[in-house]
């Protein structure tokens, strides 16, 4: 049997313009097997909720602030900003 004359894709005979993998061509048969393995793996991952189908982790439960917490926070006097490029000793 000469498989070189068989196309990889064949036109459907059901009156549509769709194509399908040709199992008589080695590349078409390989594409069929790869498609089935991919679909089967995806279904198994979905059923086990693993891989990309893993649900996000539950958020941490809400915990209220401690009882001695006050809002707005106590303000403290601002500290003076250091002068840029200045030295700590005065020059004569």
């Amino acid at each position: 049997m000469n498989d070189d004359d068989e196309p990889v894709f064949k036109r459907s005979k059901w009156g549509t313009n769709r194509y399908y993998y040709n199992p008589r061509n080695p590349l078409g048969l390989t594409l069929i097997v790869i498609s089935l393995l991919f679909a089967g793996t995806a279904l198994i991952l979905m059923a086990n909720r693993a891989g990309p189908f893993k649900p996000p982790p539950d958020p941490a439960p809400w915990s209220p602030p401690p009882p001695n917490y006050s809002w707005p926070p106590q303000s403290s006097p601002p500290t003076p900003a250091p002068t840029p490029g200045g030295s700590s000793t005065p020059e004569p």
Side-chain angles (χ1 to χ4, degrees), residues 43-59:
L43 289 173
I44 289 171
L45 288 174
M46 280 189 238
N48 293 331
R49 299 183 68 140
F53 307 105
K54 183 178 181 181
D58 291 334

Side-chain angles (χ1 to χ4, degrees), residues 26-53:
L27 182 58
L29 184 61
T30 303
L31 290 173
I32 291 171
V33 170
I34 290 172
S35 299
L36 290 173
L37 289 174
F38 179 79
T41 303
L43 289 173
I44 289 171
L45 288 174
M46 280 189 238
N48 293 331
R49 299 183 68 140
F53 307 105

Side-chain angles (χ1 to χ4, degrees), residues 1-2 4 10 13 25 29 33 39 43 55 62 65 71-74 76 81:
M1 182 168 144
N2 190 359
D4 294 337
K10 288 187 95 175
K13 295 180 182 176
N25 185 309
L29 184 61
V33 170
L43 289 173
W62 180 76
W71 184 258
Q74 300 294 331
S76 61

